[in-house]
Amino acid sequence: MDIITRITRQRGKMQIAISEQETIFVPLSLFRERPLTEGQPINLEEYDNWLMVRQYRHALDRAVACLAARAHSKHEIEQKLLRVGYRPCTVEMVLYKLEREHLLNDADFARQWVEARSGRTMGKRRIAQELQRKGVSREVAESALEEVDEEADEAACLRLAEKLSTRYAKDDHRKARQKLMQALVRRGFTWDAARTAAEKVLEAE
């Protein structure tokens, strides 16, 4: 019989050290259902079986709640569940279930993200970086970004340049152009698009 040697509360989960040889993570909701204490004997195999039976439903409910709040990539859901303490095999089953029920789809997520971010005058490069951070594959991201044509991207760059140009009204033309171009590039537009937009706006002013 193993002994619980240490219990540490972390964000959303409990870290349980067993006989100083093994560590398991238990979601807080499940720990409350079956509390443990330091020094308590534990049949690790029996507890693990109990945990596995209940984990799936808890993890699935949490994932569905996340998706109800906003769209998520597969990677985002996976990381949220793992951080809480669900076992990797449980997380894998949840992801499979969500994909099979068409509740989780990176291609749909990427299209929604591209539409929302491009509507906020953000360049394709910046959007691609954001999708990469969210675990969306390069192929899926590029496919979604193909829906934003070059003319629309250049028009968005020009709109943003017009909006930002007032910040540099007190600078001379060279400094204003440089600062405006840098601001546009930070928002994900290419140097060529940023230069063209900055020159058009500053010449008009």
Side-chain angles (χ1 to χ4, degrees):
M1 184 73 70
D2 293 304
I3 302 295
I4 298 174
T5 53
R6 187 172 64 258
I7 299 177
T8 307
R9 179 167 179 170
Q10 299 182 358
R11 185 178 181 182
K13 61 187 174 185
M14 304 297 286
Q15 180 179 346
I16 316 295
I18 311 295
S19 299
E20 295 296 347
Q21 296 179 348
E22 184 171 354
T23 300
I24 62 174
F25 294 92
V26 182
L28 190 56
S29 57
L30 290 175
F31 184 84
R32 288 169 176 165
E33 186 175 336
R34 186 174 172 177
L36 301 172
T37 58
E38 293 183 1
Q40 174 185 341
I42 183 173
N43 183 325
L44 186 55
E45 182 178 355
E46 182 274 330
Y47 182 79
D48 200 41
N49 289 336
W50 175 87
L51 196 61
M52 288 294 295
V53 169
R54 287 158 179 77
Q55 262 194 345
Y56 175 74
R57 177 50 58 185
H58 280 253
L60 181 61
D61 289 345
R62 180 181 287 269
V64 170
C66 289
L67 291 169
R70 70 165 177 84
H72 287 71
S73 69
K74 180 179 178 179
H75 178 74
E76 285 182 302
I77 294 295
E78 179 183 29
Q79 292 304 305
K80 285 189 175 185
L81 296 180
L82 290 174
R83 280 197 298 268
V84 172
Y86 296 111
R87 298 294 182 86
C89 57
T90 301
V91 174
E92 186 177 343
M93 288 189 294
V94 169
L95 295 175
Y96 174 77
K97 171 70 171 178
L98 294 173
E99 289 181 313
R100 190 179 66 182
E101 298 295 330
H102 306 293
L103 297 174
L104 191 62
N105 184 296
D106 272 4
D108 289 342
F109 169 78
R111 284 193 292 269
Q112 293 178 42
W113 191 265
V114 168
E115 182 179 355
R117 302 303 271 176
S118 60
R120 294 179 57 184
T121 58
M122 194 164 289
K124 295 170 71 172
R125 286 186 178 181
R126 173 76 173 271
I127 298 172
Q129 291 170 354
E130 292 179 344
L131 289 173
Q132 183 180 17
R133 287 196 296 269
K134 291 181 178 296
V136 176
S137 70
R138 177 178 295 181
E139 293 76 14
V140 171
E142 289 178 351
S143 177
L145 286 165
E146 285 178 358
E147 298 182 13
V148 181
D149 60 38
E150 291 302 322
E151 289 186 2
D153 198 50
E154 292 171 0
C157 186
L158 182 59
R159 289 197 303 272
L160 183 60
E162 292 170 343
K163 180 180 179 181
L164 297 179
S165 63
T166 56
R167 298 181 182 181
Y168 316 115
K170 295 181 180 180
D171 294 317
D172 61 48
H173 182 84
R174 185 182 63 81
K175 286 185 178 180
R177 177 176 174 273
Q178 182 181 21
K179 290 180 179 180
L180 183 54
M181 286 177 59
Q182 291 173 344
L184 295 172
V185 170
R186 284 196 297 270
R187 290 293 289 269
F189 296 101
T190 65
W191 278 106
D192 286 342
R195 181 173 57 252
T196 300
E199 290 174 350
K200 284 183 179 180
V201 169
L202 295 177
E203 287 175 3
E205 292 179 353

